[in-house]
Amino acid sequence: MTESFDSVVALVPAAGQGMRLGEGMPKAFVDLGGRVMLSRAVDGLLRSGVVDRVVVIVPEELVDSTRTMLPADVTVVAGGSERTESVRAGLAMVDGAQYVLVHDAARALTPPSLIARVAAELRSGRTAVVPVLPVADTIKTVDILGAVTGTPERSELRAVQTPQGFTVDLLRRAYDEADDHATDDAGLVERLGERVRTIVGEPTAFKITTPLDLMLARALVEEGTP
Ligand code: CTP
Ligand code: MG
C-alpha cells in the first residue's frame, strides 16, 4: 500500500517477551480489563484521528492470530529478538508516508490526545518529537560493581514516553546506522547529530513493565480510563 505524501504511519512494537512482567506470555497479549494491551494501544492510535495506517510488529508465531484480532486494515508483521529488529521490520512496511510514530504496545493506556499532539508537532515542521515527564526520583549513575559514579542534576532529566514521532526519512537514516540494542528510537536520531524536540507527556502513557504497573493499569481501566 502506498501512503499519500503527508500521511502518518504508526509502528507498534509488540514483539517483546515481557520477561519483567512475568505473565508467561508476550506482554502485548496480556489481558487488561477484557482486551489485550495491543488492542488497546492500536485503538488509541485510531481514536487519535491523526494516524492513516497502523503497522504492528508481533512475535512470529502470533502473526496470524493477531490479524484476526485487529481491524482488517491494520498491517501485522513478525518482529525480532531485539526491539531494534522489530522496529526495523515495521519500518520496512512503510511506503511513501511522510511521518512515522513509533508507539510501544506496552503503553496501552496512552491518551489519544497525546498521540495527536506528537503528530501536530511533526506537521508544524519538527523532524523528531518525544513526549517526556520530569523524573520523581533522584537518578544516580553507577559502575559495574554498584559504586556511585555520579548524580545528574534532576531538573535536567526527563523520562521519555511514546509515541515518538519522526519524519520517515530521518528514522530510516537512524536505523541504517543503528546497532541492535537500542531501546529508544530518538536516541538513534540523536546519534546522527539531529535535534530532538520534547513535548509534555502524560502520566497515563506510562509503560506497563512490572507487575506493579499492571496492577495500576487494571485499576485505571476498572475506574473508567478507556
Ligand atoms: N518489543 C518488540 N520487540 C522486541 C522487544 C520489545 O517489539 N524484541 C516491544 C515490546 O513488545 C514493547 C516495547 O517494545 O511493546 C517496549 O519494550 P519492553 O517494555 O522492554 O517490553 P518487553 O521487551 O516485552 O519486556 P521485557 O524487557 O521485560 O522482556
Ligand atoms: Mg524489553
Side-chain angles (χ1 to χ4, degrees):
M1 188 200 288
T2 303
E3 288 88 23
S4 66
F5 175 70
D6 65 346
S7 63
V8 177
V9 179
L11 305 183
V12 186
Q17 290 305 308
M19 294 308 288
R20 288 169 290 180
L21 194 61
E23 289 281 303
M25 66 173 86
K27 187 162 74 178
F29 298 86
V30 168
D31 180 79
L32 198 52
R35 297 172 58 194
V36 304
M37 283 193 214
L38 173 60
S39 167
R40 287 186 183 274
V42 168
D43 194 50
L45 287 162
L46 297 175
R47 280 189 298 128
S48 75
V50 298
V51 173
D52 298 293
R53 183 171 166 228
V54 178
V55 176
V56 307
I57 308 104
V58 299
E60 190 161 23
E61 65 278 12
L62 294 175
V63 167
D64 289 341
S65 57
T66 305
R67 284 197 181 120
T68 33
M69 182 183 83
L70 293 176
D73 53 356
V74 172
T75 304
V76 182
V77 294
S81 60
E82 298 285 341
R83 187 180 179 283
T84 324
E85 286 176 60
S86 298
V87 174
R88 222 182 235 125
L91 205 45
M93 304 303 292
V94 176
D95 179 15
Q98 172 84 336
Y99 306 112
V100 58
L101 303 179
V102 187
H103 186 43
D104 291 335
R107 297 182 191 270
L109 301 182
T110 301
S113 58
L114 176 61
I115 298 161
R117 282 196 287 120
V118 173
E121 289 289 324
L122 292 173
R123 289 191 189 282
S124 79
R126 309 290 192 204
T127 55
V129 181
V130 298
V132 300
L133 288 176
V135 293
D137 290 326
T138 295
I139 307 288
K140 296 211 183 276
T141 56
V142 295
D143 65 19
I144 53 167
L145 298 175
V148 171
T149 54
T151 308
E153 170 61 36
R154 192 175 65 192
S155 63
E156 289 179 14
L157 297 176
R158 299 289 183 275
V160 183
Q161 304 183 319
T162 73
Q164 299 191 354
F166 309 94
T167 61
V168 169
D169 283 351
L170 181 55
L171 192 65
R172 279 226 170 92
R173 275 205 286 133
Y175 269 83
D176 284 346
E177 307 281 319
D179 62 41
D180 279 342
H181 302 291
T183 59
D184 176 58
D185 306 295
L188 298 174
V189 168
E190 289 154 42
R191 280 191 221 164
L192 297 178
E194 298 285 338
R195 181 181 288 266
V196 176
R197 300 296 301 217
T198 63
I199 62 169
V200 177
E202 287 274 1
T204 50
F206 69 101
K207 185 157 70 72
I208 301 166
T209 306
T210 65
L212 191 61
D213 298 328
L214 186 58
M215 284 177 71
L216 174 60
R218 285 181 170 152
L220 287 168
V221 167
E222 182 92 349
E223 71 159 31
T225 299

